[in-house]
Structure formats: C-alpha cells, structure tokens
Amino acid sequence: MREDLKSVDPAAQVLLKVAEKKKILTSFERAEKLKPCPIGHEGACCKVCHMGPCRLVGKEDEAAGVCGATLPVVTARNFARMVAAGTAAHSDHARDLANTLLAVARGEAKDFQIKDVRKLNRVAGYLGINVEGKSVNKVAEDVALKFLEQFGQQRGELAYLSRAPKKRQEIWKKLGIAPRAIDRECVEMLHRTAMGVDQEPNNIMLGALRTSLADGWGGSMMGTDISDILFGTPKPLKTKASLDVFKEDHVNLVVHGHEPSFAEMLVQAQEDPEMVAYAKSKGAKGVNLVGMCCTANEILMRHGIPTAGGFLQQELGILTGMVEAMVVDVQCIMPAISQLSKQYHTKIVTTTAKGKMIDAEHVEYDDHHAMDIAKKVVRLAIDNFQNRKKESVSPAGIKAADVIAGFSDEYIEYMQGGRYRGSYRPLNDAIISGRIRGIVGLAGCNNPRISQDSIHNFLTREFIKNDVLVVQTGCSAMASAKAGYMTPENALENAGQGLREVCEAIGIPPVLHLGSCVDNSRILTIASNIANEGGLGDDIGGLPAVGIAPEWMSEKAIAIGTYFAASGVPVIFGAGSPVKASKTLRDIMENKWWEMMNAAFYFEEDPGKMLELALKMIDAAREKLKIRKYEPGRFGTERVLMDMAARRGGTFATPHGVDV
Ligand code: MSK
C-alpha cells in the first residue's frame, strides 16, 4: 500500500501533477494545510448552545462543559447528530423519489414510466397493499402514498421492518429501537441532543440506533426500491471507470451527486437525435455523458454509463479541461468546484432549490417537465463546447478499466437458480462448506486525509485472496471499478481457490458492485435473505459478515455504519474516530452493542488491523454457527449441527470468540 501517495489511482496522480504545475489547490492540498481540530475530531467539542463551544479536555470523569455536560454525553450527542443528518440526507432523497413515483402514477410526470412492474408488485406486497384488479398506475399511486406516509406517521412502526428476520425484529422491539417514522426519528434525535434534554450516553446511543434504522430499513431501502421501480432493477452490464472516460471530440457532460431522476432524463436526452445533431452543428461528434459519485453508480448500474469516479475526482475531472458542464444536485458536492470552474470553461449547473452554489448556473429540475429541462442542460453543455481551450486540456491518459456492474439483490438471487428457482441456497452452501469464508460489505467515501483508494483497494485484494466475497457500494465501489477488480478475470487472477470456484461456477466477479450509498440497503436485503434461507442461523446477527468504511468522511457513512450494527452486522471504520475522546462511548459501541445486538462499531485506522479484525469476526461467527472451520483450499459439505439449546440460547459471537 502506498500511503506516501495522495492517490493510488494513476489517472488521479496525473491530474494532481497538472494541479501542482498550474499552482491550483485541490482538496488534497487543503487537507494537508488544514489540520483538523484534535478536540472536535475526537468528539469532545460541544456546540449545541451558545455558552460555548466548550472544548472538553482532561480526564473523562472530570471534563465537563459550562452546563456540566460530561465527555460521554457530549461525544454521544455529536455522534447521534451525525446519524440524524445522514439519515435525513438519504431519506430526503427517498422522499423526492416517492413524489416522483406519485407524479408518474398520476400521469403528471409524462417523461417517466414504471419500468419494473414485477418489483412494484413485490414492494406493494411488503407494504401490505393489495394489487388484485388494480392497474399498474393505481398500484404505483398506493405504493407512493404509503411511502410518503412513512415519513410522518404518528402511530405504528416503519412497514419495511417486517423485511428483517423475525429474530432481528424482536431484538429491536426489546431494545425499544424500532423506528416509528423517518422524520420523527430525525426530529426527535435533534431534540434529544439539544441542550439539557437527554443526558444519559447509552440512552442517546439507543436513539441514534433507532434513527439509523429509519435510514437503512426506511429512507435508503425506499430510495433503492423506487429507483428500481421507475428506472429498472439493475442487471449486470459492462462499462468503464476512470478519469480518462472523457472524449476529446465529444461534448463531455458530467452528472454528479446522488438523486437518479434527472440523471435518467439526461441519459435519454443526450442520445436524442435532435441533441446529437445539435452537438454536430457545434463541431462535436456527440454528447458523452459521464457519471461521478453516487449518481454515477445509479446510471452505471442501469445503463452502463461510464464513471469518472467518486467523491475525490470532482476537482480532478474539471482539471482535465475537457468538461463542458458538471450538473450537480445534492450531497458530496464540494463548494470548491464552482471556484475551480472559473479557471476553466466548465459550467457548474445546480438543479435543486435545496443546493445552490455561488458562481454556478441554476436550472431547476422539475419532474413534471423533466425532458425539456434535460434538453436545456444538454444544450447548455453543447453551447459551451466551443469555449474549450486546447491549451488547457490535460487528459489523464490512463486506459479506463473494464467494469462489470449491476448486481441488485434480485439479480444475485436470480443467478443462483434462474427466474423461478432463484434462491440463496448455493451462496449459503458455499459459506457452509468454507469455499466462501464470509462476506464483507466495503462501502463509504474517499477522504483526502488518506491516500485515495489505498485502503479500499488493499482490503479488497486481501479479502478476495482470503476467500471473502466483497460487495461494494458508493465511492468504495468506484475504487474497485477503477482498479479493474470488478471483472470475472480478477477472480481467476487474485481470488482464493474457494471463492474462485464459486465465481467461475456462477460467472461473477469476486467483487460485486451493488450500487450507490442508498443501495447499502441491498446489503441488508441480501443479509436477510441469507438468514432466511437457513443453515446459517436465523438472524443477520451472527452471520460471517462485516461492514467496513475505511476512508469515510460523510455523516451519511456514520448513519450507514450505525444501521449495519443495529441490524446485526459488525462494522469497522477507518479515517479516525469521532468518539475517540470518550472511553465510555467506545465501550458502549465495542462491547455493550455485542450484548444488545450481536454486533459492534469499531474505529480502527490501521489497514492491517482492520483486515485482521474483520477476518477474526468472520471466523468467530463461523465457529459459533458450528459450520466448517475455514481452511484455505479445503472444502467440504459436512457441518456440526447445533442442538436446540444452542439455537434458542442465541449465543453471540464476539471477535474474541467469547459467548456473551
Ligand atoms: S458519494 S457519501 S463520498 S460514498 Fe455517495 Fe461517496 Fe461517501 Fe458521498
């Protein structure tokens, strides 16, 4: 691993040199110059009222703010607020999609159609909506209205909680953390963490768990499902990933952010013969649509649109001098890009009233006139083609990697038996026999304080070498895509023998691209399906599975990590700990959560130790399940069966292999 480099992506390295030569500062240099405040970085700065900010230094049992708030309370409140913000982000995205679904169902958004009726009916089933005798649009309307109700309902619990294994639902009930409504949990979390309300760290963290579940089994899962219903459920397809996906003879239009609706329209608009003719009239061969960040993941999974990469590529993309327009919506959009664009011909186009930028053009997206607005933006990019300056063009010049992406949970089920006999049996059997040692969900961001992609790539390589199936989302998926890990050939070259055999038999890469950040909900669905298939316990908790976000930076990542833990998947985060200041908090997350939920939340910066801890937890889970001990190259079908007492006892596997 090259920690001395700002990035291990060779195309990014080329463009960082361009920036250096032109004396342009990017987030990579700003991160070097601007050291984080050590007190706030570790969760010990309280700024929930104006008596402070109070910086709590000193011993845990002595440090206190002006009001007397202790270090564990302050750290817990800070963490819980991150969870609330992350949950709000994913869920507001889902709310927009639910409104689009409603508009489509009512014939008000005529440029969209319901692409996956089968999924619509499946979702209606989860929500208890009868589809008999109803038109597709009526079912879609009922589904959209039910989804919208989930945000503000005053009674009951979120409908999607019923998709979790029964045992997990009982744990949530017992702990009192089953979320009631999405907005309610976010609002309550902000209230509880305001000055002078919840002052018991464990109770604050219970609130954080409940809020996070409103993300994972609420907003995010809804976001994924509505996108599949409207734009199609992903199936594997081939595309490219690199900063070198820009074309010199085309108008390069980048779509960056998170919400897929407008991006879907741009996919259609850029292919429209009228737009192609217009591009030709301006001297270009056509329009080259490229994705960035999670919008990239959405249109890559469904249309094979190439990706320029994740969060840290946004400034670098502009530095190529080849981007006519960068269209942005919400989340992970650096304010720096509008300033940087002034030194190039690139136009930054904001598209939502929620996210405007100084010096950007604003073209407001409205799903009632989606295609007209998409064409307006495509035209704007085409008109800017003539302003591209030859002398400022700096292509990365590194061949883009092939990527096979598009592994929805439905497709994973399908590939294990076909449309009518799809199941998770083969995957469970491969885990039981030891061909697959376990599953790791690698997710989360890049962070300029860490050599870009270095830990994502290190862990991906090591896990597949150790027969661990890797499923990826968000910027982590981009890291593997760019590195060429998402091809079946990679399995042949780099995977351990057991994983390789499974990949060859099914014809999949050992690293599966599952989609965007909201698509972490697909990992929850896969985990539920594995648990419900049988043979590996009856809960998500206790599966040989771990979630890791090694280079995280966003509050959304914290919300995801927390709902993974609340769902029974232990998680490891790198890039520094926002709870490091409080031993009490660390103890709650690393030990108490094992007792409560059969999972934990660790912060560990050392990549080697992350790997070791993840493998240890996977092996401990295997031992507790009494399935074959993992031995590289030795597989079998024999199992040590659990007796009823062991099953009922619900013994939990800790990383130390101790019953709790
Ligand atoms: S885009 S949240 S930097 S994964 Fe979803 Fe990447 Fe993290 Fe944004």
Side-chain angles (χ1 to χ4, degrees):
M1 216 172 41
R2 297 291 308 275
E3 280 162 7
D4 54 320
L5 297 170
K6 287 177 183 163
S7 172
V8 296
D9 172 352
Q13 289 167 9
V14 171
L15 288 153
L16 283 166
K17 286 216 175 78
V18 171
E20 202 179 309
K21 213 164 134 198
K22 294 188 174 179
K23 298 198 177 359
I24 291 173
L25 288 185
T26 65
S27 57
F28 293 85
E29 291 78 37
R30 289 191 296 274
E32 268 172 14
K33 281 181 190 277
L34 195 68
K35 293 291 168 214
C37 162
I39 298 164
H41 192 68
E42 296 179 358
C45 176
C46 180
K47 52 186 179 65
V48 299
C49 80
H50 206 54
M51 289 188 283
C54 294
R55 296 177 301 156
L56 273 60
V57 288
K59 289 190 184 147
E60 173 134 2
D61 50 0
E62 288 170 5
V66 174
C67 68
T70 62
L71 199 43
V73 168
V74 167
T75 311
R77 287 199 302 219
N78 289 338
F79 186 88
R81 284 191 163 216
M82 292 175 94
V83 172
T87 300
H90 289 141
S91 304
D92 210 33
H93 164 155
R95 188 196 325 262
D96 281 351
L97 283 166
N99 278 315
T100 301
L101 181 64
L102 187 62
V104 174
R106 290 179 172 170
E108 295 163 3
K110 296 202 183 302
D111 297 323
F112 294 103
Q113 298 93 37
I114 305 237
K115 289 255 180 73
D116 192 341
V117 176
R118 197 177 149 92
K119 177 127 191 185
L120 173 69
N121 289 336
R122 189 190 274 212
V123 165
Y126 296 143
L127 298 173
I129 293 168
N130 183 13
V131 302
E132 283 304 310
K134 287 184 188 166
S135 67
V136 170
N137 278 14
K138 178 63 185 140
V139 175
E141 183 182 35
D142 290 351
V143 165
L145 289 171
K146 180 74 181 174
F147 275 147
L148 288 167
E149 200 183 289
Q150 300 288 292
F151 288 90
Q153 66 185 16
Q154 298 303 313
R155 289 181 207 293
E157 291 169 355
L158 289 186
Y160 267 4
L161 300 187
S162 63
R163 292 176 62 175
K166 287 265 166 317
K167 188 166 177 186
R168 188 54 32 183
Q169 295 178 45
E170 282 159 18
I171 291 171
W172 293 336
K173 277 204 172 50
K174 194 170 140 220
L175 294 171
I177 59 170
R180 297 152 293 186
I182 297 164
D183 290 352
R184 179 170 183 180
E185 301 312 342
C186 293
V187 169
E188 185 176 301
M189 202 67 258
L190 290 179
H191 176 202
R192 281 168 75 162
T193 52
M195 194 268 151
V197 186
D198 201 346
Q199 299 170 33
E200 205 278 285
N202 191 46
N203 203 45
I204 295 169
M205 294 306 275
L206 283 169
L209 290 165
R210 189 183 219 173
T211 308
S212 75
L213 288 169
D215 180 351
W217 299 86
S220 282
M221 203 169 270
M222 281 164 51
T224 296
D225 282 352
I226 302 172
S227 298
D228 287 354
I229 290 168
L230 283 174
F231 315 130
T233 302
K235 301 184 206 49
L237 37 70
K238 193 174 175 183
T239 186
K240 299 266 182 204
S242 166
L243 274 166
D244 221 37
V245 290
F246 303 119
K247 294 183 182 168
E248 295 210 48
D249 51 7
H250 278 64
V251 173
N252 292 305
L253 173 57
V254 175
V255 58
H256 165 29
H258 279 78
E259 294 186 5
S261 310
F262 190 43
E264 281 287 324
M265 248 340 88
L266 289 171
V267 172
Q268 290 181 40
Q270 52 107 27
E271 295 167 345
D272 188 291
E274 182 197 341
M275 292 295 106
V276 176
Y278 190 57
K280 286 185 175 160
S281 77
K282 299 284 178 180
K285 285 194 176 155
V287 180
N288 179 37
L289 185 69
V290 166
M292 190 165 274
C293 257
C294 275
T295 313
N297 286 323
E298 300 275 2
I299 53 178
L300 176 148
M301 293 272 283
R302 296 191 176 90
H303 303 283
I305 299 292
T307 174
F311 171 67
L312 280 183
Q313 308 282 84
Q314 52 193 296
E315 292 168 292
L316 305 182
I318 294 172
L319 280 162
T320 62
M322 295 165 76
V323 176
E324 274 57 59
M326 187 177 278
V327 182
V328 302
D329 58 4
V330 288
Q331 302 167 23
C332 304
I333 294 143
M334 285 191 196
I337 57 171
S338 66
Q339 295 309 306
L340 178 59
S341 71
K342 288 201 281 187
Q343 299 180 56
Y344 285 84
H345 78 301
T346 306
K347 283 190 190 302
I348 305 293
V349 184
T350 54
T351 53
T352 164
K354 288 179 209 170
K356 293 193 176 180
M357 297 173 88
I358 293 166
D359 296 319
E361 288 205 26
H362 187 72
V363 180
E364 189 129 339
Y365 167 66
D366 174 357
D367 54 19
H368 293 72
H369 311 282
M371 183 51 91
D372 288 346
I373 299 165
K375 283 187 178 173
K376 185 176 174 182
V377 168
V378 173
R379 255 187 231 108
L380 181 151
I382 294 171
D383 286 339
N384 199 23
F385 181 65
Q386 63 201 16
N387 297 325
R388 192 192 291 174
K389 294 186 190 75
K390 269 214 155 65
E391 62 278 12
S392 59
V393 167
S394 313
I398 306 283
K399 199 170 167 278
D402 283 338
V403 185
I404 306 290
F407 292 92
S408 54
D409 41 282
E410 285 86 349
Y411 190 82
I412 291 173
E413 189 173 347
Y414 167 82
M415 76 194 189
Q416 298 180 78
R419 182 160 181 172
Y420 299 104
R421 294 178 55 219
S423 81
Y424 275 72
R425 196 68 254 154
L427 181 59
N428 282 24
D429 285 344
I431 295 171
I432 290 164
S433 68
R435 278 187 171 75
I436 291 181
R437 184 174 184 174
I439 301 177
V440 161
L442 259 180
C445 326
N446 288 121
N447 182 327
R449 300 198 181 280
I450 292 169
S451 173
Q452 184 194 16
D453 297 345
S454 62
I455 313 185
H456 289 299
N457 291 355
F458 164 75
L459 290 175
T460 305
R461 284 193 306 269
E462 289 300 318
F463 282 130
I464 65 169
K465 202 197 290 172
N466 281 282
D467 293 305
V468 174
L469 179 69
V470 176
V471 294
Q472 282 187 296
T473 58
C475 293
S476 186
M478 305 275 198
S480 281
K482 289 183 293 167
Y485 296 164
M486 288 177 161
T487 60
E489 298 77 51
N490 179 36
L492 295 174
E493 285 164 25
N494 299 311
Q497 189 189 333
L499 179 60
R500 191 167 67 228
E501 285 178 13
V502 174
C503 291
E504 281 180 310
I506 310 178
I508 54 164
V511 183
L512 301 180
H513 191 318
L514 256 57
S516 64
C517 295
V518 293
D519 291 336
N520 279 301
S521 67
R522 294 193 201 275
I523 300 179
L524 296 181
T525 304
I526 291 168
S528 286
N529 291 343
I530 291 173
N532 290 333
E533 183 66 46
L536 289 168
D538 53 0
D539 183 22
I540 298 174
L543 291 176
V546 178
I548 307 183
E551 301 180 26
W552 75 282
M553 64 85 200
S554 167
E555 290 161 320
K556 293 179 290 168
I558 289 291
I560 294 165
T562 309
Y563 76 61
F564 265 49
S567 302
V569 181
V571 289
I572 309 168
F573 272 41
S577 165
V579 296
K580 192 174 176 185
S582 170
K583 191 174 170 310
T584 308
L585 243 283
R586 296 197 311 269
D587 187 49
I588 289 172
M589 297 170 78
E590 293 176 7
N591 298 310
K592 199 173 175 66
W593 283 8
W594 275 115
E595 296 167 29
M596 290 159 48
M597 306 180 305
N598 205 3
F601 198 138
Y602 299 94
F603 286 93
E604 173 54 68
E605 288 181 59
D606 182 310
K609 288 185 182 162
M610 275 183 219
L611 175 71
E612 200 183 316
L613 177 59
L615 292 177
K616 205 169 170 182
M617 289 195 281
I618 285 171
D619 289 344
R622 294 186 67 88
E623 202 183 325
K624 291 286 161 190
L625 287 166
K626 301 202 183 326
I627 56 177
R628 191 182 176 93
K629 188 172 182 227
Y630 169 75
E631 288 169 290
R634 291 195 59 209
F635 321 115
T637 48
E638 64 274 32
R639 308 179 53 213
V640 185
L641 293 173
M642 291 170 85
D643 60 20
M644 282 313 285
R647 280 179 210 280
R648 284 201 205 98
T651 48
F652 288 173
T654 71
H656 319 293
V658 178
D659 288 354
V660 288

